[in-house]
Amino acid sequence: MPMNEFALIKRYFERSDDDKSDHGGAVVQAPAQGVVQGIGDDCAVLSTDPDYETVISTDTLISGVHFPENSDSRLIAQRALRVNLSDIAAMGGQPSAFLLALTLPELNETWLEGFSRGLREVSDTYSCPLVGGDTTRGPLSITISILGTVPRGRALFRSGAQVGDTIYVTGYLGDGAAGLGLLDVPIQGDGSEARSVDYLQKRYWQPDPRVSEGLILRDYASAAIDISDGLLADLGHILRASCVGAELTMASIPLSAPLIDTGTKKEAITLALTGGDDYELCFTVPIDKVAMLELKVREGLLSAFRIGEISAKEGLICRDGSGTVVDFSDAGYQHF
Ligand code: ADP
Ligand code: MG
């Protein structure tokens, strides 16, 4: 079987303290002092200050792979920065600044005008300035590296979930993947179908990084991840990192009205579980903190939907309304 993205990273780039031998691949990451979290979470965490830690992450968008060629440059920029902010949110981080590595096929000022405007809009909204980067010529690709901060010892990791914890997501799932499938559909008129398509396309291009939620979740969550590759795949990362299993109640997965309007209920739930591009957070909360967390939700300080529970039995089980187990074994976007 060909290697997937995660096996590739593990084989060639990950390195543990007790395994410093070369596996036949080019092992490049040496263990270093001050690395609180290396490869394997939404961000790396570096100990840079007596009081604060730095969270840092990078993501690339390639034309024709992550967005259709000839897309609006303002939207490309917005999406690129928003998905990076989402990884900071998943760690409970406060965004500080970002770097932009831009590869352009040509110098097109109209394109650059839109791109820089889109970038500024998001950068201003999240008080996260552009502080450097690199510009080269080649097929269009955008790489953003982003930094944030967390008070020492307060970052949220994928590895903290415990048996009995309640599983939540911060918002509607499936919209991003549905929006991606509808990017070519023109918005005509302002009927309900046009409004649904418009909403779903916006959810793809302008995902809402849950930065303020992440800051609140530092006080409540035992584990967190942002949903870029689909709920089942990304919750799967929490389960593997925490050595636990989970049971999900499919009827509790939050679905938006536009998502349900544009297809069948079954298509909506499949997109919610296995589609990517939502950039909501999935997080777990220990039983003694659930009541306080839900109070925050009722006070309107946090958006969170309870979707299941962490269990001791390894694996991820989805139950429908009648309690029957449903199989979604082929879940999640794989780059390879
Ligand atoms: P995310 O979806 O949160 O961006 P990924 O699934 O892309 O995370 O990556 C999983 C983990 O592997 C992350 O910790 C990421 O930093 C790390 N990673 C991905 N590609 C590489 C690489 N080429 N070298 C080292 N680490 C990598
Ligand atoms: Mg992530």
Side-chain angles (χ1 to χ4, degrees), residues 208-245:
D208 189 12
R210 296 291 192 167
V211 173
S212 60
E213 276 80 359
L215 300 182
I216 295 175
L217 290 177
R218 284 176 190 163
D219 290 335
Y220 302 98
S222 50
I225 190 167
D226 68 325
I227 304 174
S228 51
D229 296 340
L231 174 67
L232 297 188
D234 288 316
L235 175 57
H237 291 313
I238 288 189
L239 302 184
R240 270 186 299 280
S242 304
C243 304
V244 290

Side-chain angles (χ1 to χ4, degrees), residues 5-6 9 13 39-42 59 87 158 226 228:
E5 168 197 357
F6 302 109
I9 295 163
F13 300 117
I39 294 172
D41 216 303
D42 293 295
D59 255 307
D87 276 323
R158 297 176 178 181
D226 68 325
S228 51

Side-chain angles (χ1 to χ4, degrees), residues 108 240 264:
N108 175 335
R240 270 186 299 280
T264 63

Side-chain angles (χ1 to χ4, degrees), residues 12 41 55 59 94 99 107 115 123 129 143 145 213-214 253-254 270 276 282 286 303 325 333:
Y12 290 100
D41 216 303
V55 287
D59 255 307
Q94 175 73 57
L99 302 164
L107 201 165
F115 186 84
S123 157
T143 297
S145 302
E213 276 80 359
I253 308 284
T270 304
C282 174
S303 158
V325 174
Y333 182 75

Side-chain angles (χ1 to χ4, degrees), residues 3-330:
M3 240 192 257
N4 73 15
E5 168 197 357
F6 302 109
L8 179 159
I9 295 163
K10 199 167 180 51
R11 177 165 165 82
Y12 290 100
F13 300 117
E14 213 171 303
R15 183 168 176 179
S16 63
D17 278 347
D18 57 0
D19 178 16
K20 292 179 182 141
S21 63
D22 190 323
H23 290 253
V27 177
V28 295
Q29 194 216 12
Q33 258 197 343
V35 178
V36 179
Q37 169 72 54
I39 294 172
D41 216 303
D42 293 295
C43 293
V45 180
L46 307 180
S47 177
T48 45
D49 179 283
D51 299 326
Y52 282 89
E53 288 164 347
T54 297
V55 287
I56 179 165
S57 172
T58 192
D59 255 307
T60 297
L61 300 188
I62 295 174
S63 177
V65 178
H66 299 103
F67 55 85
E69 280 166 29
N70 303 319
S71 298
D72 179 344
S73 59
R74 175 175 160 260
L75 294 177
I76 297 171
Q78 295 210 341
R79 183 170 153 76
L81 185 48
R82 284 167 177 273
V83 304
N84 274 274
L85 284 160
S86 176
D87 276 323
I88 298 288
M91 304 302 290
Q94 175 73 57
S96 320
F98 72 100
L99 302 164
L100 169 69
L102 187 58
T103 303
L104 297 170
E106 60 185 345
L107 201 165
N108 175 335
E109 292 207 38
T110 313
W111 192 94
L112 282 164
E113 173 53 42
F115 186 84
S116 58
R117 184 155 45 92
L119 213 53
R120 264 196 315 276
E121 285 162 357
V122 180
S123 157
D124 288 350
T125 303
Y126 292 90
S127 305
C128 183
L130 175 62
V131 293
D134 191 27
T135 306
T136 48
R137 186 192 282 258
L140 176 61
S141 109
I142 299 113
T143 297
I144 287 182
S145 302
I146 190 163
L147 289 101
T149 54
V150 280
R152 175 173 289 275
R154 304 296 309 283
L156 301 171
F157 298 106
R158 297 176 178 181
S159 54
Q162 302 267 350
V163 176
D165 288 0
T166 303
I167 306 169
Y168 292 87
V169 290
T170 48
Y172 297 129
L173 302 185
D175 290 351
L180 176 61
L182 295 169
L183 288 186
D184 291 339
V185 177
I187 311 291
Q188 282 162 341
D190 62 354
S192 78
E193 202 181 313
R195 283 202 305 274
S196 291
V197 172
D198 186 43
Y199 163 89
L200 294 168
Q201 288 180 351
K202 284 207 171 85
R203 288 276 286 161
Y204 174 80
W205 281 120
Q206 297 164 312
D208 189 12
R210 296 291 192 167
V211 173
S212 60
E213 276 80 359
L215 300 182
I216 295 175
L217 290 177
R218 284 176 190 163
D219 290 335
Y220 302 98
S222 50
I225 190 167
D226 68 325
I227 304 174
S228 51
D229 296 340
L231 174 67
L232 297 188
D234 288 316
L235 175 57
H237 291 313
I238 288 189
L239 302 184
R240 270 186 299 280
S242 304
C243 304
V244 290
E247 287 218 6
L248 292 184
T249 316
M250 276 167 47
S252 308
I253 308 284
L255 303 174
S256 71
L259 178 66
I260 295 170
D261 284 352
T262 50
T264 63
K265 184 82 191 278
K266 185 157 180 273
E267 285 165 349
I269 192 81
T270 304
L271 284 174
L273 292 173
T274 66
D277 297 313
D278 284 316
Y279 297 98
E280 297 293 344
L281 301 183
C282 174
F283 60 96
T284 58
V285 177
I287 194 79
D288 59 327
K289 291 189 173 167
V290 162
M292 282 300 291
L293 184 277
E294 297 204 349
L295 183 64
K296 294 270 169 218
V297 175
R298 283 197 298 281
E299 287 172 349
L301 297 171
L302 179 74
S303 158
F305 300 83
R306 181 195 277 242
I307 59 167
E309 197 172 290
I310 296 292
S311 58
K313 191 166 176 294
E314 241 176 68
L316 180 47
I317 291 173
C318 294
R319 292 192 191 278
D320 68 12
S322 64
T324 309
V325 174
V326 185
D327 182 25
F328 286 97
S329 35
D330 191 20

